[in-house]
Amino acid sequence: SNPFEVKVNRQKFDILGRKTKNDVGLPGVSRSKAIKKRNQTLLKEYKEREKTNVFKDKRFGEYNTKITPEEKMIRRFALERQQNYGKKNIYNLNEDEELTHYGQSLAEIEKLNDIVDSDSDTEERGTLSAELTAAHFGGGGGLLRKKASSEQQEEEQEKPKSRKELIEEMIAKSKQEKQERQSRRESALELTEKLDKDWKEIQTLIAHKTPKSEKKDKEVEKPKPDEYDMIVRELGFEMKAKPSERLKTEEELAKEEQARLQKLEADRLRRMRGIDEETSKKRPSHMSADDLADGFILDKDDRRLLSYKDGKMNIENEEDKEEEEGEKEEEEEGEEEDNENEEESQEESASENEEDDAADSHSDLESDLESEEEAAGSKEEKKHKANENESQNMEKFDPKREAAKSELPYTFAAPESYETFKSLLAGRTIEQQLIILERIQKCNHPSLAVGNKAKLEKLFGFLLEYVGELATLDLPELRTIDKLVLPLYNLCQMFPEAASDSIKFILRDAAHDLGEVIEVKGRAAFPGLDTLIYLKIVSLLFPTSDFWHPVVTPAFMYMSQLLTKCRITTLQDVIKGLFICCLFLEYVSFSKRFVPELINFLLGVLHISLPKNQAQGYTVVHPFTPVGKNSELLLVCDKEDLKSWEKQNVPLSIVTRLKEASRTEINHTRLSCLALCFDLIKKCAALYESLPSFHEIMHPVRILLTQHVPVNEYPEKMQEWYHSALKELENKVKHYTPLICEKKKPVPLKQYTPKIVKVLEFGKKQAGSKKEQERKQLIQRHKRELKGAIREIRKDNQYLARMQLSEIMERDSARKRKVKELLGSLATQEGEWKAMKRKKWKN
Amino acid sequence: QLPTGLYKKVLVILHDSVLPYMNEPTLMMDFLTVAYGIGGAISLLALNGLFILIHQHNLEYPDFYKKLYSLLDPSIYHVKYRARFFHLTDLFLSSSHLPAYLVAAFIKRLSRLALTAPPEALLMLIPFLCNLFRRHPACRVLVHRPAGPADMSEDPYVMEEEEPSKSRALESSLWEIQSLQNHYHPDVAKAAAVLNQSLSEMEDDISGLLELSAYELFDKEIKKKAVDVPLEFEPVRGLFGKKNDIFAEHFSL
């Protein structure tokens, strides 16, 4: 380019290796480029600012920037080909319009003629054509000749015909002939079509069921293929050995499963230690929600899990999957079936309700049905039969169950509010509730529609709320909760974030309430069973061994508050407290973390089971007091009750209704609590064995156990518990090693050599973490873009102003010119007029 | 003499509403000394007034530290006046002229008692101990004893000893804090792990930690935003369905 147009940005210092973008500029070129661009865009817009009609560009993908130009071209080409497909002539633009002659399509006629051509009777045509050619091309001569020849024959009978008559006759003749031919053709065509149709019908039959003999016959009919050809074909079509996935053997499957579990376990360990938190954060989310859900559906484990429910879930699962595809079509059919099945299902619904009770009742029912057919038969026989049929029982039930289940609709809209959710589940059995939940999940799978994810996330919240409500009932429906945990788990696997959020919400509410009560009254009571269940559910849904976990850590804190802040005034409180102790133990069972509150509480529980008359060698902490009203809550003095006690599991429902129980029962519950306490102490001892100050931790408990507990008064069973706990405590070696600090890295002396930093890319700041760097980069880019945009806008405005100015100038000059013209013409007019006047005057 | 409630009320306000306005604050000497001797919460509260007397009015209190030492029992981490008590203890132990055995005995006793403390108290206590180590470098043998015997069968520290000088605290090590490195609360575990490294020179500021409440801790935890939520991979089999479930052994639905 012109050296005078080049502008060089001089560098003050030359730096080796630095690449500069802007050392040479072409201001003139770039300015003219910018102006040209504005001419094309801004000016156009400006000129069209008052026009409302638009120019539509329907070229495919013209303004779609997502498509690369090549692809665009390819697609356009394809479209063009599509449009032209079927057209014979690309130059014939009017292909679509059909040309007709006498109402008949020309194309058709052409076709017919073609066929005629191909099909014999050439001679006939030949004659006709001869005649025709003679008529057409022979000129008058031909006709005359014909006339002459015909005259020779006809002259005797008739008067000679005129030329016009002759022509008409000929035309009529040819038309007739043509029609005849046409009709013949048509009939032939019809026949061939009919034959084709028949053949097709037969062919379908043959293709399916031709006996071999027929096939052989056909083969015989065919000319025998050449042997060489056959071999060539065979080689050509021979199945190439395709690499395919080998079916995995059981062992391999097991191995894979094991590997997967091992990986998860390793993950868990890493999280437990709480190291490399940073790296784990950078890591892509460790299980993507969808991925995991799928995996679990296909899992072996899952199958086992489903079969856990009387082997019923399995079947439904497959069934549902099939249904899922054709669900919408089937829905109506299903309803029809419903009507048909209603009578049956009414009968069977009764049986279904009893199904859960015992297998015997099923078989009885079954045999009852059979007995109707048999009409008569002894009871023994029936039973015998029932036993025989037992293996078939399952199979027989399934259709029945299905029929019964068909009462439930197949699709459910995801409930929008808790009320609708509750009304969905109201009055259903546990199994039905589960099916409903499962169907809701399937119908609203996130892959099916956009809003489904949010819906299912809501569903998790509703389900939690429902569980809480079940637990707060007078008679808590714990069995239902037990089953409802499964859908909770599945939903949680699908939407970890939402699930953790809703559980955190519940925890926060509970802790908030607790905090308020403590602030106002200075003490608090234990929360209801629902909170305990929630805490248990946390341990089922989330790994409790993590060093830090968004849900589990707050749960830990909440439980710790419960154990330290809540007053213990009743036996229920003790049970709740022990439940939380169990939770603590379960939470830390894997990570073996130290929970001081747990030991304190167990010590306190032991303390309240003792008569208060001895001197103490231990101190109890906060919720328990050394002396006072509730300090003998677990003390059992009744000898009878002591003797009649048997270890039994404490029913959780006792937490809500203990008042109805008799005195003996209460005493028994107390003893069960004590046994539980012993067992927990034993478990704690096993758990904390490795802690360096294990003996100091367990010291008060040991003193209490060895010196204060009246072992001999306890029933034998209780003594067993006691001794196993004590043994666990005693047989730990005392082992102390002095602490040594980790060696500190020696701090290097300050040196005056320059610090050398590896520069990977010039012009980039290296300091800071990656995130920080990214942020800085974004800020910088934003700044640059903003500056650029402002500059552009300014230039646009200048350009526009220039344009407007030039427009105005143009207008003005045009006006000036016109005015001048007018004035000029007026002046000449005036001049002429004056000249005329003068002339007149002279004259 | 006075009922307990009244005693406490008087002592709570004594140091800032009564003593500064008295012409002869030393008159309160006997009252405070008796109150300090009562034990429990009343002793804790009397400390404040006593401190003012010692500090500004030249009160000589024999066996002051021994008495303070005997005040330490498990309840100090659970009572309402925890912040006030630790604030004062921090003051009393800030003198660099205290003998190492005394400070070591305090450190050892506090950490022994920490084995029953709630997390909010632990979060305050551990920086408190770190500060003590910084002030009294002679006590660092408690966390760093490179030349000690390889193996001991017994903790040399005697918890029951009333006299700090006879508690043999300097021969011991802080195994309690090492145990706390396994605490369930991540922050406590991290704080306890600090003692593994050699300490920095700067003292930690514990004034903000003194008033820490359990609810605040909970709130802090629940407000943390998690990038992703790890999930349990073991599929559930019902409420008590885990293998080796403790609940299944003792509770029924």
Side-chain angles (χ1 to χ4, degrees), chain A residues 579-590:
Chain A
F579 188 89
I580 294 171
C581 286
C582 288
L583 275 175
F584 255 131
L585 260 184
E586 193 194 353
Y587 274 38
V588 298
S589 60
F590 195 83

Side-chain angles (χ1 to χ4, degrees), chain A residues 656-789:
Chain A
T656 53
R657 43 168 190 99
L658 187 68
K659 280 150 203 160
E660 302 130 41
S662 70
R663 210 184 129 70
T664 322
E665 276 177 48
I666 290 178
N667 275 342
H668 284 178
T669 314
R670 283 176 179 162
L671 288 172
S672 296
C673 285
L674 195 58
L676 170 56
C677 184
F678 282 136
D679 189 48
L680 289 184
I681 285 173
K682 187 181 128 192
K683 288 206 161 74
C684 281
L687 202 62
Y688 294 143
E689 196 182 347
S690 57
L691 287 184
S693 49
F694 169 77
H695 292 278
E696 283 76 28
I697 292 166
M698 287 302 181
H699 181 69
V701 176
R702 199 166 53 237
I703 286 184
L704 208 150
L705 281 185
T706 49
Q707 295 174 11
H708 298 279
V709 174
V711 201
N712 300 327
E713 288 173 22
Y714 285 153
E716 265 181 46
K717 271 272 180 185
M718 186 66 89
Q719 288 190 19
E720 267 176 43
W721 289 104
Y722 168 80
H723 284 297
S724 65
L726 195 61
K727 209 176 111 194
E728 194 73 33
L729 276 185
E730 297 280 313
N731 64 359
K732 296 286 181 306
V733 272
K734 290 193 173 185
H735 179 77
Y736 296 90
T737 38
L739 293 182
I740 291 176
C741 276
E742 283 166 19
K743 260 186 195 154
K744 206 163 63 169
K745 260 189 194 166
V747 183
L749 289 174
K750 254 190 188 169
Q751 289 178 323
Y752 293 101
T753 49
K755 190 180 173 191
I756 294 171
V757 183
K758 212 175 188 183
V759 178
L760 298 171
E761 247 175 293
F762 281 103
K764 270 192 181 173
K765 291 184 181 68
Q766 306 284 328
S769 69
K770 199 173 180 187
K771 217 174 180 182
E772 183 65 18
Q773 254 177 34
E774 224 163 70
R775 225 190 63 154
K776 268 184 189 163
Q777 245 172 33
L778 275 181
I779 288 174
Q780 179 132 20
R781 198 179 296 162
H782 171 253
K783 220 176 184 177
R784 207 165 48 211
E785 292 294 317
L786 188 71
K787 264 186 183 168

Side-chain angles (χ1 to χ4, degrees), chain A residues 4-45:
Chain A
F4 291 104
E5 278 181 359
V6 176
K7 182 178 182 273
V8 180
N9 293 326
R10 197 176 61 84
Q11 301 255 291
K12 281 190 176 164
F13 308 104
D14 275 338
I15 295 174
L16 250 181
R18 172 186 278 183
K19 277 178 214 151
T20 44
K21 272 183 265 176
N22 308 315
D23 50 356
V24 174
L26 297 169
V29 173
S30 60
R31 194 177 300 131
S32 75
K33 229 189 246 170
I35 289 173
K36 205 191 267 172
K37 203 177 173 193
R38 288 209 171 81
N39 275 338
Q40 277 167 2
T41 54
L42 197 62
L43 188 64
K44 218 182 234 173
E45 234 174 80

Side-chain angles (χ1 to χ4, degrees), chain A residues 351-365:
Chain A
S351 69
E352 210 230 5
N353 287 338
E354 288 171 12
E355 271 173 6
D356 303 324
D357 298 344
D360 290 16
S361 65
H362 301 323
S363 49
D364 279 345
L365 260 171

Side-chain angles (χ1 to χ4, degrees), chain A residues 223-240:
Chain A
K224 201 146 191 217
D226 195 1
E227 204 157 296
Y228 172 77
D229 274 353
M230 267 169 65
I231 291 168
V232 168
R233 290 275 159 79
E234 261 175 35
L235 284 174
F237 291 119
E238 199 178 14
M239 270 272 282
K240 300 258 162 55

